[in-house]
Amino acid sequence: MEVSFVWSLFFITFLRVFRVHALLPIPIVSLEDKVKINEETKVTCMLPASDCQCLEVELRIITEQKLKNCISHKGNLPNVTCTLEVTEDMHEVEISCEAHFRTKSRPQKLNIQTEPEFTDCPDKLVWIEGQENSFHCKAKGYPPPTVSCVKDSTVYMEGEKFTTFKNMSGDYNCRAVNFDVVSKTITVSVQYEPVISPIIVHPSDSVMEGDNVTLVCEADAVPPATYSWHTPSLQVQYDHDNRTIHIKDVKKAHEGFYICIAQNQHGIQMRKQKITVTEPEIVPEIDISKLSSETGNGAEKMGAAYGGLLALLLYSSFHYLF
């Protein structure tokens, strides 16, 4: 019964003291902005009218006797318990408890103003046409710098997502900006599948037997494309890179479709070109002796006809006069 009363009295006393100290204001630490290295700065501790959220309490048992194994508990009802070896001469020994209250400010970070510096910004980037990409170019500094990359007046913010096109290849000027500016150049290479231009045929896609013809295939691709052909005849000659084929002494068997195939690691494209082969015209031989004989007989017949016509004209004129 007495123990229960003592604990009740202890808690009532504690709550009263806590209520009084709960009105204690909490100091606040105030720091300057834009703190720079190697310069002085002021730290101010202010005591507002009332703010007691950071109040701490420490309980101590006060006695002239030796205490052992003291265990403290924190929380909503803090307490401390110690062990005391009781002896006969401890009669009427005084024991008291002290509560020590401490307050502390909310922590504030000391921010030192520093110029921007790139920390993760590669010199070269490889993108694939049609895919989603962004610039991952990190920089440190305080205030935290803003990073952007520019090409042809187009600005891309760091981390901004966009679809890649082949015309995005080139050099970009990337800048990190706070109260100062640093910049660097990033080279971007955009890779894409082959696109074949119309096949060039020289001299023409319609040739006569016995002539020569050349076909040239050209594809726009990054990385560069490799070439192969499907041809109607195997009797063709290839250049070292397979872009060009030559056909000498064209035969009828060379007629048909020539298919160029261009491919790289990103895709493949085909384009075809038709070649038409015509036979040369055959001119019949002419017998010159027979041609001369026929020419002479014709002249004689034409002379006789002219003679008859002249006689008719003379007769008509004579008859008119008389």
Side-chain angles (χ1 to χ4, degrees):
M1 185 70 176
E2 291 181 357
V3 174
S4 177
F5 174 76
V6 170
W7 276 106
S8 298
L9 182 61
F10 167 77
F11 279 115
I12 292 172
T13 303
F14 171 78
L15 290 175
R16 286 180 178 176
V17 174
F18 184 82
R19 181 177 298 177
V20 171
H21 285 276
L23 300 177
L24 295 175
I26 305 299
I28 298 175
V29 175
S30 177
L31 306 175
E32 290 183 327
D33 293 333
K34 300 181 179 179
V35 180
K36 296 183 178 180
I37 297 175
N38 299 325
E39 292 187 5
E40 293 182 347
T41 184
K42 293 182 179 180
V43 179
T44 304
C45 181
M46 298 181 296
L47 203 62
S50 60
D51 186 356
C52 301
Q53 297 180 0
C54 298
L55 188 66
E56 292 185 357
V57 61
E58 178 183 354
L59 299 176
R60 295 179 183 176
I61 300 174
I62 307 302
T63 181
E64 293 180 355
Q65 305 301 318
K66 185 177 181 180
L67 300 172
K68 297 190 303 181
N69 303 326
C70 292
I71 300 175
S72 298
H73 297 279
K74 296 182 179 181
N76 294 331
L77 295 175
N79 61 84
V80 59
T81 301
C82 298
T83 301
L84 176 63
E85 293 185 1
V86 179
T87 61
E88 183 177 356
D89 57 353
M90 290 183 183
H91 181 67
E92 294 186 349
V93 166
E94 293 183 352
I95 299 175
S96 63
C97 178
E98 290 183 352
H100 298 267
F101 294 94
R102 293 182 299 176
T103 61
K104 64 179 181 179
S105 67
R106 292 186 179 90
Q108 298 289 335
K109 293 183 178 179
L110 180 65
N111 294 314
I112 301 175
Q113 192 176 36
T114 54
E115 65 275 6
E117 178 184 352
F118 286 112
T119 58
D120 183 12
C121 197
D123 296 329
K124 296 182 179 180
L125 293 173
V126 177
W127 295 340
I128 309 300
E129 184 183 26
Q131 293 185 359
E132 191 177 69
N133 285 290
S134 63
F135 285 95
H136 296 286
C137 204
K138 306 297 184 183
K140 66 180 181 179
Y142 188 84
T146 300
V147 180
S148 62
C149 297
V150 182
K151 178 180 179 289
D152 298 333
S153 301
T154 302
V155 180
Y156 302 91
M157 301 305 296
E158 196 278 331
E160 175 187 359
K161 299 290 185 180
F162 50 81
T163 301
T164 305
F165 299 97
K166 64 173 67 176
N167 61 355
M168 288 183 171
S169 291
D171 292 336
Y172 290 76
N173 181 31
C174 294
R175 292 159 41 100
V177 181
N178 55 14
F179 67 90
D180 202 353
V181 181
V182 293
S183 63
K184 67 173 296 182
T185 299
I186 296 179
T187 301
V188 174
S189 175
V190 178
Q191 298 186 353
Y192 49 91
E193 64 182 7
V195 178
I196 301 178
S197 303
I199 295 175
I200 300 173
V201 183
H202 182 76
S204 171
D205 58 0
S206 180
V207 296
M208 297 183 66
E209 286 187 342
D211 289 347
N212 299 331
V213 65
T214 299
L215 293 88
V216 181
C217 183
E218 184 68 43
D220 179 26
V222 177
T226 57
Y227 297 87
S228 59
W229 292 82
H230 286 308
T231 62
S233 172
L234 298 179
Q235 301 302 315
V236 298
Q237 297 178 358
Y238 296 90
D239 278 1
H240 67 282
D241 57 2
N242 281 353
R243 289 178 50 248
T244 304
I245 58 176
H246 303 277
I247 308 172
K248 296 183 178 181
D249 191 16
V250 173
K251 302 291 190 297
K252 192 66 177 178
H254 290 115
E255 184 174 82
F257 286 99
Y258 289 75
I259 302 174
C260 173
I261 304 168
Q263 62 182 335
N264 64 8
Q265 65 197 58
H266 303 297
I268 182 171
Q269 190 181 45
M270 296 183 292
R271 197 174 188 110
K272 63 182 180 179
Q273 173 65 49
K274 185 177 182 180
I275 297 295
T276 303
V277 179
T278 59
E279 297 179 358
E281 295 183 3
I282 300 176
V283 180
E285 296 183 358
I286 300 175
D287 190 344
I288 298 177
S289 61
K290 186 176 180 180
L291 179 61
S292 300
S293 176
E294 291 178 354
T295 303
N297 292 336
E300 291 177 359
K301 292 179 181 178
M302 187 175 295
Y306 280 133
L309 180 59
L310 181 59
L312 180 60
L313 290 174
L314 290 175
Y315 175 78
S316 299
S317 299
F318 179 80
H319 182 73
Y320 176 76
L321 291 174
F322 296 97

